[in-house]
Amino acid sequence: MPTLFDPVSVGDIPLANRVAMAPLTRNRSPGAVPNDLNVTYYEQRASAGLIITEGTPITQQGQGYADVPGLYLPESIEGWKRVTEAVHRAGGRIVTQIWHVGRVSHTSLQPNGGAPVAPSAIRAKSKTYIINPDGSGAFVDTSEPRALDISEIPGIIEDYRKAARAAIDAGFDGVEIHGANGYLIDQFLRSGTNHRADAYGGPIANRARFALEVVEAVAKEIGAGRTGIRISPVTPSNDASDPNPQPIFNYLIEKLADFDLAFIHVIEGATGGDRNHQQGDKPFDWDALRDIYRKAGGKGAWMVNNGYDRENAIAAVETGKADLVSFGRLFISNPDLVHRLKENLPLTEPKKETFYGGGAPGYTDYPTAA
Ligand code: 8OZ
């Protein structure tokens, strides 16, 4: 069996090791444009086998938080080019996470101050982060969304396709489709947020339709071997809920096996929290999910996430439970995380106060091991 530190090919992307940097929202790209500080941050972490960037909205409508980078402005593409060049020069590989927040937004962030869009007009009991007219930042309740008309859905799929093309133009090795954490794709998947009565709601095959159409469009545009997807079947993030998540995620994963995707990225449990979090009355069966994918012919790399440490990450790869393990918070505070895990060096704990927004402190000033 390979180890966590052995190379692996993920679709068309050759990686030096199986430690991935998970996507992390950092709110340090004002104007949606990656800047010098962002270049330094990603370059410092280029020894990760694969960097998955922070969520990167595909359109202004897909935006839900102040100061996140985008893929929809020419300047954003130019900014990202400098990031991807720096990471490649340092020997790393990097994909970007393409993101539409759906209902997790605020009218002040939306085109013409309009309502955020969602499968159904159900407001999320969650907060988002905006910049006040006086320049100060604030956490505010998400706005009441409006339900998408079925005629608008092809346009949003087209936005994902364009963003995937923009990502390749910006020099990324591929994209991760953000299908997790209660954002638009997840809002279609889970029954708590999808009360539609048309072809995109109700039965499992209908709720999975939007996700599968996005995957199809992106894979066709840039190649399935450069396309991955992230899912979070049980997380309550952003007020996401489904009393019976196993059947829909089993169905989705079986259908995903039909695409020759580069990777499947699975958040086990509550994102950034309890790995044993449960929705409904049964614990989620993670092994069954992977086995269904493999039995259906899925060959993509299986990437697991959520609170892994050195010991269980090494075990996950050595036992064949996973092909890759992604780390979020530990990559914030340990730019040389791969080296530290390999040599079993002490790890630095991240400072929560500097996760979101601000400048270099808590972003590019975490040292490498002595
Ligand atoms: C933390 C803060 C804002 C956004 C996610 C993109 O949960 C996020 C996110 C995380 O996937």
Side-chain angles (χ1 to χ4, degrees):
M1 273 291 178
T3 80
L4 186 63
F5 307 104
D6 286 332
V8 65
S9 275
V10 162
D12 297 341
I13 315 168
L15 309 183
N17 60 67
R18 293 149 187 261
V19 179
M21 177 175 166
L24 294 158
T25 293
R26 305 302 309 274
N27 308 80
R28 283 171 168 87
S29 304
V33 179
N35 54 46
D36 288 348
L37 197 60
N38 307 145
V39 173
T40 302
Y41 166 74
Y42 283 112
E43 185 177 29
Q44 287 173 342
R45 288 156 182 78
S47 59
L50 180 67
I51 294 174
I52 303 161
T53 73
E54 61 208 280
T56 304
I58 60 173
T59 50
Q60 194 194 338
Q61 182 197 68
Q63 228 255 93
Y65 302 85
D67 295 344
V68 298
L71 277 166
Y72 50 91
L73 300 174
E75 309 87 277
S76 306
I77 310 307
E78 293 310 308
W80 277 129
K81 270 185 194 162
R82 299 178 43 240
V83 171
T84 60
E85 277 162 16
V87 168
H88 288 152
R89 213 181 307 117
R93 296 288 179 165
I94 182 167
V95 299
T96 186
Q97 191 193 48
I98 57 175
W99 186 26
H100 190 307
V101 296
R103 67 177 187 161
V104 187
S105 189
H106 189 264
T107 50
S108 68
L109 297 163
Q110 288 291 307
N112 309 312
V117 299
S120 301
I122 305 165
R123 192 172 183 165
K125 289 183 202 73
S126 65
K127 302 264 181 199
T128 186
Y129 181 75
I130 63 165
I131 304 287
N132 290 313
D134 69 2
S136 61
F139 284 96
V140 293
D141 290 342
T142 55
S143 304
E144 176 87 22
R146 69 173 177 84
L148 282 164
D149 189 86
I150 195 165
S151 65
E152 296 176 276
I153 291 179
I156 297 186
I157 290 166
E158 177 64 7
D159 292 335
Y160 277 97
R161 183 194 67 74
K162 282 192 198 144
R165 175 51 54 195
I168 298 300
D169 290 345
F172 285 106
D173 295 292
V175 305
E176 173 177 279
I177 296 167
H178 195 341
N181 295 343
Y183 297 108
L184 185 62
I185 290 174
D186 204 19
Q187 288 159 31
F188 274 94
L189 290 170
R190 298 214 248 169
S191 60
T193 37
N194 184 344
H195 293 184
R196 298 179 75 91
D198 61 12
Y200 291 88
I204 281 171
N206 282 358
R207 283 189 277 135
R209 188 179 312 280
F210 182 72
L212 292 167
E213 287 181 353
V214 171
V215 170
E216 184 178 19
V218 169
K220 200 164 154 215
E221 180 67 26
I222 66 167
R226 300 198 173 279
T227 303
I229 185 168
R230 191 176 207 216
I231 56 173
S232 57
V234 300
T235 197
S237 305
N238 293 308
D239 197 20
S241 71
D242 192 317
N244 191 17
Q246 191 90 44
I248 177 131
F249 284 93
N250 287 357
Y251 173 85
L252 177 72
I253 210 77
E254 189 171 2
K255 292 289 166 192
L256 287 174
D258 295 343
F259 301 91
D260 218 353
L261 294 182
F263 63 89
I264 306 286
H265 189 180
V266 182
I267 302 172
E268 299 163 333
T271 307
D274 179 13
R275 289 184 46 81
N276 297 314
H277 183 81
Q278 176 171 326
Q279 288 206 327
D281 52 14
K282 286 196 276 305
F284 196 86
D285 189 340
W286 304 100
D287 289 339
L289 193 71
R290 188 199 52 236
D291 293 348
I292 288 167
Y293 182 67
R294 294 291 182 230
K295 271 204 197 89
K299 297 197 177 55
W302 195 262
M303 190 187 318
V304 294
N305 171 258
N306 205 21
Y308 277 81
D309 59 19
R310 178 176 191 272
E311 201 176 339
N312 58 13
I314 287 174
V317 171
E318 290 191 354
T319 59
K321 170 184 148 101
D323 301 305
L324 290 111
V325 180
S326 73
F327 294 86
R329 280 167 299 188
L330 286 177
F331 255 116
I332 290 181
S333 49
N334 300 275
D336 55 344
L337 183 62
V338 178
H339 172 66
R340 295 199 203 196
L341 292 176
K342 193 166 183 184
E343 305 302 332
N344 202 8
L345 301 174
L347 299 175
T348 304
E349 283 304 313
K351 295 183 283 273
K352 282 207 172 86
E353 320 80 77
T354 45
F355 278 1
Y356 308 115
Y363 190 56
T364 52
D365 62 353
Y366 285 106
T368 53

